[in-house]
Amino acid sequence: MDYSNPKIPEGINTSKQHPLKDFFILSIGVLGSIVLCVFLLGLFAERLALHIPFSIEHELLGTIKFSEPAEKNVEIQDYLNDLTSRLLPHIDLTKDISVQTTYVDDSIENAFASLGGQVRIYRGLIELLPNENALAMVIAHEIAHIQQRDPIVALGRGIVVGLFLTAIIGSSTDRFVSSIVSETGTLSALSFSRKQEQRADEIALKAIAEYYGHVNGADELFKALLNLGGETDSLTPEFFSTHPLSDGRIRAIKIQAEKNNWPTNGKTVALPDFITHLK
């Protein structure tokens, strides 16, 4: 048997395709899968959170330690409690949901709804408001978030997605959980969507129209914040971080009022002297 050693053609073990092409395709595929998983997990968590009993929120609330001022202003706190109680009948809450409004003597311009029906309003935001109607809009807006179960939905989404990403990057799950169950972590997780904000505005405006008989002053909150923001980002108040604002929200209030035949003119109620003296 004759044996020959044929010459192997050059380039038989090489490819005209760039070696990094497969890497980029694989990377894009992995990244796309992660994004899809995050989206689906967030959607699942939101729907699941709606079925969590409100009593469970109270238990979760006990794990969060909010910073409290050294001294509490009893007059302002009592006034906020009274105003909240006057607005509650105009917002359709289920019997198991309760609301507690807390005044925080801090200069930041903020207010937010948290777990367990907690509404916290800061002195800095109250100082911006020209009348009780605007303050009532703030409180009604936050109560609306509680009615819609937005805090538990947002927190549930943040925890589920965060745990998934933590598992991927190999970080400590315990560290993540401890950071999310804190005041700062909770506030970071309580990020409401534009749809949630719009719905809260609609519910709040309805409550204002029913209670005062008109909606005059309801948009003063947004006007004050937009004026404060000015042209520089450095002046943007804390309230913007969880309540994205735009001229569109002010226009939406006018459109909703016209649609429901709610008067836009009416006498506004002055804030008590012990609040105006804060300014």
Side-chain angles (χ1 to χ4, degrees):
M1 178 182 294
D2 294 334
Y3 173 78
S4 62
N5 187 14
K7 184 177 180 181
I8 300 176
E10 294 184 4
I12 193 172
N13 290 324
T14 61
S15 172
K16 295 181 180 180
Q17 182 172 292
H18 196 284
L20 292 178
K21 183 177 181 179
D22 289 338
F23 171 77
F24 284 124
I25 293 176
L26 180 61
S27 298
I28 292 174
V30 171
L31 181 60
S33 299
I34 292 176
V35 171
L36 179 61
C37 286
V38 167
F39 172 77
L40 294 176
L41 282 173
L43 188 62
F44 171 76
E46 289 179 4
R47 295 189 177 184
L48 181 63
L50 288 173
H51 299 285
I52 296 177
F54 188 75
S55 59
I56 300 298
E57 286 195 37
H58 280 286
E59 295 181 12
L60 291 174
L61 183 65
T63 64
I64 305 171
K65 295 182 179 180
F66 289 107
S67 58
E68 299 289 351
E71 296 182 4
K72 295 183 178 180
N73 189 310
V74 178
E75 280 187 314
I76 296 179
Q77 183 59 63
D78 288 344
Y79 172 70
L80 291 178
N81 289 341
D82 178 63
L83 183 56
T84 299
S85 65
R86 285 183 274 146
L87 293 171
L88 283 175
H90 302 283
I91 300 177
D92 187 20
L93 294 173
T94 58
K95 293 182 179 180
D96 62 321
I97 295 180
S98 59
V99 176
Q100 179 181 353
T101 302
T102 301
Y103 170 70
V104 183
D105 189 7
D106 195 299
S107 61
I108 64 174
E109 298 89 1
N110 203 5
F112 64 90
S114 185
L115 298 175
Q118 296 292 308
V119 174
R120 298 175 70 81
I121 301 180
Y122 290 75
R123 170 172 50 83
L125 181 60
I126 294 179
E127 290 175 342
L128 299 177
L129 307 178
N131 49 57
E132 181 186 273
N133 304 64
L135 177 57
M137 183 65 183
V138 175
I139 296 175
H141 177 94
E142 301 306 336
I143 295 175
H145 277 308
I146 293 171
Q147 183 224 44
Q148 295 292 299
R149 305 297 305 279
D150 291 340
I152 191 65
V153 168
L155 189 63
R157 178 183 62 235
I159 290 178
V160 170
V161 172
L163 287 174
F164 172 71
L165 296 176
T166 297
I168 290 179
I169 64 178
S171 182
S172 171
T173 301
D174 292 339
R175 185 184 305 172
F176 169 77
V177 173
S178 62
S179 66
I180 203 71
V181 186
S182 64
E183 179 175 4
T184 303
T186 301
L187 291 181
S188 298
L190 294 181
S191 176
F192 302 140
S193 67
R194 289 185 179 275
K195 183 177 181 180
Q196 290 172 319
E197 292 293 346
Q198 180 181 3
R199 181 56 178 159
D201 282 347
E202 293 172 353
I203 295 171
L205 193 64
K206 178 177 179 293
I208 296 301
E210 291 181 357
Y211 179 70
Y212 291 104
H214 61 82
V215 296
N216 186 28
D219 60 350
E220 293 294 337
L221 162 67
F222 306 124
K223 290 179 180 179
L225 290 171
L226 288 174
N227 291 335
L228 180 67
E231 299 180 355
T232 60
D233 293 335
S234 61
L235 293 178
T236 302
E238 291 292 326
F239 197 79
F240 277 116
S241 63
T242 53
H243 299 71
L245 298 171
S246 68
D247 290 330
R249 291 182 73 180
I250 297 176
R251 289 195 298 270
I253 286 179
K254 295 179 180 179
I255 292 173
Q256 187 182 355
E258 293 176 1
K259 180 180 178 181
N260 293 279
N261 295 319
W262 295 331
T264 54
N265 294 319
K267 185 177 180 180
T268 58
V269 179
L271 290 167
D273 290 339
F274 51 80
I275 287 185
T276 56
H277 288 164
L278 294 174
K279 304 179 181 182

